[in-house]
Amino acid sequence: MMAAESKYSLTWRVTPDLLGILTREGYFESTNPAWQTVLGYRSSEIESRHFFDFIHPADIARTHSAFDQIKSGRPVLAFENRYRHRDGGYRDLSWNSIPEGDKFFCSARDITQQKANETALRSTEAEARFREQFVAVLGHDLRNPLAAISAAARMIGREIQSHDVKAMLDSIDGSVDRMTRMIDDVMDFTRARLGGGITIEQDSETPLRPSLEHTVNEIRLGHPGIRIDEKMDFRDPVHCDAQRICQMLSNLLANAVAHGSPDQPILVAARDEGERFVLSVRNSGDPIPTEMRDSLFDPFARGNLRENGSGLGLGLFIASQIAQAHHGRLDFRSDRSATEFTFVMHRQDGTPSPAA
């Protein structure tokens, strides 16, 4: 055994890395036991053949360049190629080779699993991105046929119709509205995932209160059996994207209608607390299960909550994204007395609120 092997004999025997001493002619004159562990070859089988005999055909040209480099006296570091295993397959190896006189001291690490993991991760990320892009395009393209259906229903509705036909037209109109909201949710979801968040357009001139009241009335009309109380006491206008704030409120109200007790009122409250604007939606009913709370604002996190079949499970995710876009936060509390979602945002209009 050579001096280097003797000096580091324990490391030479037990390290999982492939170690070898290579001649200028391309033959390993000494190899450690890891070669048999990783590639299945005994030392005599490696040391009797030129190392190029084991290289993957597609890697031979690159390996020739690396071999020329080390023969010129320059080390080769983190060089990757594939070596044939005794079973006929290939293993990915990462090499460090250092010239010393007429010999080259080489070490290699088996990175086959690492490469497989990286490939799988890239594939998964590419598939996820493709799915999100596909959903975004699909959602965009669905708007045109929906608009045509809605326009046709309105035109038919202008004519005198029987009670049954009018009921069918109302059903069509309601279905179009629900599908439109689903498409909006899907588009916002893909923007949030692909574009880094939901975009907003804030202004300090558009009053927020009429928009909030209109949103509450829309939910009332869609659910005539549900009582919704409102209490609004805040300084208007609020520097925000009023349309997005109302979208958040609509999503929170839809969640309250779906999961609250139908015989108990829902309370919508908007108020100032010092320099903060606060909007909350509270409903009675069963508390949110403990196992769902950590993922409640994740997309599609519907879990075991009671379903009404009218949404995609994106409402709370989008509401939380709207809150973040306003540099605010959306929190919740839930116990046997009530479940309440609360949006809090710092006011930016620069004037003190009455509560300050």
Side-chain angles (χ1 to χ4, degrees):
M1 183 178 287
M2 295 184 60
E5 298 176 40
S6 178
K7 184 177 181 180
Y8 302 108
S9 58
L10 181 61
T11 300
W12 185 270
R13 290 196 306 270
V14 302
T15 180
D17 292 345
L18 284 72
L19 303 179
I21 300 173
L22 186 69
T23 68
R24 291 187 65 85
E25 291 74 29
Y27 291 89
F28 280 103
E29 66 178 32
S30 186
T31 55
N32 71 333
W35 285 81
Q36 186 167 2
T37 303
V38 174
L39 295 174
Y41 299 108
R42 296 186 300 273
S43 294
S44 59
E45 295 175 289
I46 294 291
E47 294 165 10
S48 62
R49 298 171 62 182
H50 199 283
F51 84 91
F52 272 105
D53 292 343
F54 301 94
I55 305 296
H56 190 287
D59 296 341
I60 287 179
R62 293 190 306 105
T63 305
H64 263 300
S65 297
F67 192 42
D68 289 340
Q69 176 179 323
I70 194 172
K71 286 194 293 184
S72 70
R74 294 173 294 162
V76 173
L77 304 176
F79 175 77
E80 296 180 10
N81 63 8
R82 289 164 288 181
Y83 262 57
R84 187 173 66 253
H85 192 279
R86 190 182 184 88
D87 63 12
Y90 284 88
R91 298 293 186 271
D92 290 278
L93 303 179
S94 177
W95 290 91
N96 292 313
S97 301
I98 308 298
E100 186 170 324
D102 291 334
K103 309 292 183 184
F104 311 124
F105 291 83
C106 306
S107 68
R109 178 157 297 179
D110 184 2
I111 59 170
T112 305
Q113 188 58 52
Q114 175 186 328
K115 299 283 283 187
N117 293 341
E118 291 172 353
T119 300
L121 179 60
R122 286 195 299 269
S123 177
T124 300
E125 291 175 344
E127 288 176 4
R129 189 171 184 85
F130 173 78
R131 285 195 299 269
E132 290 173 0
Q133 290 172 334
F134 173 78
V135 169
V137 171
L138 180 63
H140 180 272
D141 289 348
L142 282 175
R143 291 183 185 276
N144 288 335
L146 274 181
I149 292 171
S150 180
R154 286 196 302 271
M155 292 177 64
I156 296 173
R158 294 182 186 135
E159 305 294 332
I160 298 175
Q161 303 291 343
S162 68
H163 177 75
D164 290 342
V165 172
K166 185 178 184 305
M168 286 189 286
L169 290 174
D170 289 342
S171 177
I172 291 172
D173 190 53
S175 296
V176 169
D177 285 344
R178 284 194 298 274
M179 291 178 69
T180 300
R181 286 196 297 271
M182 289 182 191
I183 291 172
D184 289 341
D185 283 350
V186 167
M187 295 294 287
D188 283 337
F189 168 70
T190 52
R191 289 191 195 102
R193 295 293 291 264
L194 298 177
I198 287 178
T199 57
I200 62 172
E201 296 181 6
Q202 294 176 279
D203 73 76
S204 301
E205 299 178 359
T206 303
L208 180 60
R209 186 192 306 267
S211 297
L212 294 178
E213 293 172 344
H214 178 73
T215 300
V216 173
N217 286 330
E218 278 188 338
I219 301 297
R220 284 195 183 111
L221 289 173
H223 303 85
I226 302 294
R227 175 181 162 189
I228 303 177
D229 297 334
E230 57 186 272
K231 183 178 180 181
M232 300 192 184
D233 183 18
F234 63 93
R235 187 176 68 259
D236 214 8
V238 176
H239 183 71
C240 67
D241 186 325
Q243 182 176 352
R244 287 295 194 182
I245 295 295
C246 290
Q247 181 185 3
M248 176 172 61
L249 174 59
S250 179
N251 287 349
L252 295 177
L253 277 172
N255 184 74
V257 169
H259 306 303
S261 296
D263 57 344
Q264 296 295 320
I266 296 170
L267 175 63
V268 177
R271 62 191 181 277
D272 287 326
E273 291 183 356
E275 286 305 303
R276 301 183 304 171
F277 170 74
V278 181
L279 175 66
S280 63
V281 175
R282 187 177 70 198
N283 63 271
S284 57
D286 295 334
I288 297 171
T290 302
E291 65 272 14
M292 289 192 57
R293 299 191 179 201
D294 290 343
S295 60
L296 197 60
F297 294 118
D298 292 346
F300 310 114
R302 306 178 72 167
N304 297 320
L305 293 181
R306 183 171 70 251
E307 302 294 350
N308 62 4
S310 63
L312 297 171
L314 292 173
L316 292 180
F317 168 75
I318 291 169
S320 69
Q321 292 292 304
I322 292 172
Q324 291 178 29
H326 283 84
H327 302 290
R329 69 178 190 273
L330 180 63
D331 297 319
F332 71 93
R333 68 171 185 85
S334 184
D335 53 36
R336 293 185 178 276
S337 64
T339 293
E340 183 172 26
F341 287 84
T342 303
F343 166 64
V344 179
M345 177 186 72
H346 182 75
R347 295 190 66 117
Q348 301 179 35
D349 48 23
T351 58
S353 69

